[in-house]
Amino acid sequence: MDKLSFREVRQGRRFMIRVLPGTKLVDELMQFARMVNLRHGAIVSAVGSVRNVEFSDIQAGAHLPITEPRMPVHRVDGPLDLLGLEGNLVPNETGKIDAHLHIFAAKSSGDAIGGHLLEAEVFATCEILLGEYIVEGVERQHSTRGGVDTLFFEDH
Amino acid sequence: MDITRRASAGTMQSSDLMVHVEPAERLDIQIESTVKKQFEHLIRDRIEAVLRQLAVTRVLVKVSDRGALDYAIEARMETALRRAAEA
Amino acid sequence: MVTRQRLRRTLLYVPGNMPGMLQNIPVFNADGVMIDLEDAVPLSEKDAARTLARNFLVAFPDRSKEIFVRINGLDTKYALDDLRQVLPGRPDGIRLPKADDPEVVERLDTLLTEYEERLGLEIGHFSILPSIESAVGVLNCVKTAQASRRIVALAFGAEDYTASLEIQRTRSGEELLGARMQIVWAAKAAGLQAIDSVFADANDTDGLRADTELVKRLGFTGKSLVNPRQIEVVHDVFRPKQEEIDHALEVMEAIKKAREMGTGVISLRGKMVDAPVVKRAARTIRTAVAFGLIDYELSNEVIYGQE
């Protein structure tokens, strides 16, 4: 099994969260995780509405490693319907909690936008179900090959 | 780079040159030029520079020059050698 | 990002495999040249042309005009070698043929970034001039114009466009009107210049003048050329006429008076002068100044008025 690495995880706590309008979504989630001392987690569901969304995507034709000029940043003022937030929260090398989140949001026309979430502001509301997972030896580290941060499994 | 076959590059237009190369036991450069008297040695310098750069020691080079400048001499020489060395 | 604002009234094609023509580039007084590695070079000579073009660019680094290289289409096996050879010679930009959709421009943008990193150049150094040359290209050009920050203008390739529609090009050019309008809209909507296609018959000066006056009226800011003799004709069409300059100066005086009287509109010999008229006059003056025809200090207060 050299193409994949994994670690079995146990279910921890589960949280229902409402983020108030005007709040920076990613910052707030990080503060929450630190407050409840959540080490590993994943978004189970997230709906609501957002604006001033900043996200990036990978340019056509890009080769590894992916670097900043290959990931143009888009900024959509919105407001947009938050259709979903995918991703996980895992500590980085220094042990500080770090989120890798992708956003999916829709304009009034029904056209959707999406990508690697940098930051977004909650517009009317944001309802998140967050699942905690209990595991040891999993953190996010920078991968020189891929050029991006990625999950790293210590060999026990 | 070793020369495995005959090849050529360039055109007969003015300010251009025609370069023929073919495999040989030693280095031999033959130059025909409309400005041979004044510039033959300069043309030879450029050809030898490209040969050194592409590490070619044994080749027959025949050039008919129509008043080409250095950049064109080097370009045609490089293209002829690459074509002659293509596997 | 390299400044994009440059006069591009005349972009002259120079065959990439002809030293006699390449060496004349410093002498031509076109606004820019496009060293052609595509249609002007037979398949058997693609390797020779790109090596010659690179050597020329390296041998003549200081240039009085903008130099593009027209590479082969990204869907051909020649394009990557074209880029690998010519980019170290640091042309100003790449003309991309068959820019049928935004993605092909994005792919070129990514490749140019890779070369800029390898050559230690500022990201964004190389600009892109996509050429719209087919029905699908025309339909997609609104998005194509916004596909990369490197794009400086949209170009129209009428030869390939008419081939893709299987129609003939005519001297009066009605068959090109639809495509030309869409390209001008797409370029202007994206804040870009628009460069019209070549006029193939280099001996038909009247035809060239009529064609250039038509496209100028439609909103094109420049034209691709196939022969140096065409440069002066096209410059003359794009150069503001003296009566246009005089009228523009009168408009500026009129609007100054209007501002002093606290109104935004005033009549000039019976014709109304308001904001759009003033903006057009300002652009005529800016172009005239760029041509070195007059020397005039444009002030934004006069053009737009104070808050």
Side-chain angles (χ1 to χ4, degrees):
Chain A
M1 281 303 269
D2 56 4
K3 294 282 189 307
L4 165 152
S5 47
F6 71 98
R7 190 61 45 82
E8 187 176 348
V9 299
R10 273 187 303 102
Q11 285 267 24
R13 297 164 290 175
R14 284 181 284 294
F15 303 95
M16 285 204 86
I17 304 165
R18 183 168 86 93
V19 189
L20 298 182
T23 316
K24 288 262 180 286
L25 183 52
V26 178
D27 280 355
E28 202 58 28
L29 263 177
M30 293 302 101
Q31 280 176 35
F32 171 77
R34 279 192 291 276
M35 186 183 73
V36 299
N37 196 7
L38 180 138
R39 309 274 307 135
H40 299 85
I43 307 288
V44 177
S45 95
V47 287
S49 51
V50 284
R51 63 176 180 176
N52 303 340
V53 185
E54 279 190 28
F55 61 101
S56 65
D57 296 290
I58 302 171
Q59 278 200 184
H63 299 108
L64 293 180
I66 303 167
T67 57
E68 192 250 331
R70 288 158 181 73
M71 301 215 299
V73 174
H74 309 294
R75 189 190 156 77
V76 179
D77 297 339
L80 306 162
D81 263 311
L82 178 62
L83 304 183
L85 210 52
E86 295 290 334
N88 55 63
L89 285 74
V90 166
N92 61 25
E93 292 111 325
T94 64
K96 186 164 147 301
I97 192 77
D98 172 60
H100 184 188
L101 298 171
H102 283 187
I103 188 168
F104 187 39
K107 299 176 179 170
S108 58
S109 61
D111 291 347
I113 54 139
H116 179 91
L117 179 63
L118 300 172
E119 190 49 276
E121 190 189 301
V122 174
F123 180 57
T125 182
C126 182
E127 301 158 359
I128 296 177
L129 188 58
L130 180 62
E132 178 184 45
Y133 297 94
I134 311 300
V135 64
E136 285 314 319
V138 178
E139 60 181 31
R140 194 183 317 285
Q141 287 182 4
H142 183 71
S143 139
T144 46
R145 203 172 69 79
V148 289
D149 298 348
T150 183
L151 287 187
F152 174 77
F153 295 81
E154 281 159 27
D155 31 41
H156 40 65
Chain B
M1 176 188 283
D2 46 26
I3 303 305
T4 56
R5 59 184 182 173
R6 300 161 60 95
S8 61
T11 72
M12 293 306 287
Q13 293 168 352
S14 77
S15 304
D16 200 351
L17 70 157
M18 203 60 194
V19 179
H20 301 281
V21 294
E22 55 188 80
E25 281 321 303
R26 54 180 182 70
L27 177 60
D28 175 12
I29 301 174
Q30 299 165 11
I31 296 174
E32 266 318 307
S33 167
T34 49
V35 284
K36 184 162 183 169
K37 267 192 271 357
Q38 309 93 310
F39 293 118
E40 184 189 350
H41 60 290
L42 291 179
I43 297 173
R44 190 177 295 277
D45 287 351
R46 287 302 94 223
I47 290 172
E48 283 166 355
V50 176
L51 289 170
R52 273 196 307 278
Q53 186 200 345
L54 296 179
V56 174
T57 50
R58 296 198 315 280
V59 64
L60 167 59
V61 178
K62 282 189 275 181
V63 168
S64 51
D65 166 58
R66 310 291 282 244
L69 296 180
D70 285 354
Y71 82 93
I73 296 171
E74 289 158 7
R76 298 322 196 182
M77 190 61 205
E78 178 181 338
T79 301
L81 289 172
R82 289 200 191 285
R83 287 176 173 172
E86 247 145 45
Chain C
M1 200 57 92
V2 173
T3 59
R4 296 293 187 231
Q5 277 322 325
R6 274 178 97 135
L7 265 182
R8 293 189 184 90
R9 302 156 299 175
T10 46
L11 295 180
L12 175 67
Y13 274 115
V14 174
N17 202 33
M18 287 170 65
M21 284 290 283
L22 286 175
Q23 287 153 211
N24 284 336
I25 285 179
V27 170
F28 300 135
N29 67 357
D31 290 337
V33 295
M34 299 181 286
I35 297 176
D36 188 8
L37 302 182
E38 197 219 23
D39 286 349
V41 177
L43 298 187
S44 59
E45 295 301 323
K46 296 289 188 190
D47 58 346
R50 64 172 75 101
T51 303
L52 187 70
R54 178 204 65 206
N55 279 22
F56 168 75
L57 288 167
V58 170
F60 295 91
D62 43 24
R63 304 158 189 151
S64 56
K65 57 182 69 64
E66 193 168 25
I67 294 195
F68 291 94
V69 172
R70 176 162 79 165
I71 60 171
N72 289 276
L74 279 191
D75 56 357
T76 70
K77 63 180 171 131
Y78 304 108
L80 296 184
D81 286 334
D82 292 340
L83 290 170
R84 186 170 43 75
Q85 287 262 24
V86 297
L87 288 178
R90 298 196 192 190
D92 296 297
I94 297 294
R95 177 171 174 138
L96 176 64
K98 250 164 78 47
D100 281 350
D101 57 43
E103 192 192 64
V104 68
V105 174
E106 204 178 293
R107 282 182 182 286
L108 177 59
D109 179 304
T110 310
L111 283 165
L112 294 176
T113 296
E114 281 173 12
Y115 276 102
E116 281 156 354
E117 286 166 345
R118 221 171 291 156
L119 296 167
L121 295 172
E122 175 209 357
I123 302 296
H125 173 90
F126 296 116
S127 57
I128 294 179
L129 175 58
S131 170
I132 308 299
E133 319 179 339
S134 69
V136 72
V138 168
L139 290 174
N140 287 333
C141 70
V142 174
K143 281 211 176 314
T144 305
Q146 292 157 15
S148 160
R149 281 202 311 273
R150 296 172 182 278
I151 299 177
V152 292
L154 273 193
F156 179 36
E159 303 296 324
D160 291 300
Y161 168 77
T162 45
S164 99
L165 266 68
E166 295 163 12
I167 56 176
Q168 290 301 325
R169 263 197 90 169
T170 65
R171 194 164 180 273
S172 46
E174 287 85 357
E175 72 283 357
L176 304 179
L177 205 50
R180 279 172 163 165
M181 283 322 301
Q182 172 91 340
I183 289 167
V184 165
W185 294 333
K188 297 292 171 171
L192 302 172
Q193 294 171 345
I195 313 288
D196 186 54
S197 182
V198 300
F199 187 85
D201 183 350
N203 301 317
D204 180 357
T205 314
D206 300 338
L208 172 66
R209 180 177 296 279
D211 195 39
T212 308
E213 264 152 12
L214 165 64
V215 296
K216 176 187 173 188
R217 241 192 341 273
L218 299 181
F220 280 86
T221 58
K223 203 165 172 49
S224 301
L225 310 178
V226 288
N227 186 299
R229 276 204 302 280
Q230 300 179 318
I231 296 172
E232 210 19 61
V233 174
V234 174
H235 278 180
D236 190 48
V237 169
F238 281 107
R239 181 180 296 114
K241 303 297 179 283
Q242 193 52 50
E243 61 272 17
E244 283 168 355
I245 300 174
D246 298 341
H247 174 66
L249 294 171
E250 276 179 315
V251 164
M252 301 313 283
E253 290 317 313
I255 201 66
K256 262 190 209 144
K257 254 201 245 75
R259 299 267 186 260
E260 277 140 22
M261 292 171 358
T263 164
V265 63
I266 192 166
S267 145
L268 176 59
R269 290 196 298 279
K271 280 222 212 70
M272 185 185 72
V273 170
D274 59 359
V277 173
V278 173
K279 282 206 189 81
R280 259 202 314 280
R283 198 168 47 251
T284 302
I285 290 171
R286 231 175 260 122
T287 311
V289 169
F291 270 87
L293 294 170
I294 59 170
D295 168 19
Y296 187 91
E297 254 315 298
L298 271 172
S299 90
N300 280 344
E301 281 87 44
V302 172
I303 300 173
Y304 305 106
Q306 256 114 5
E307 287 296 318

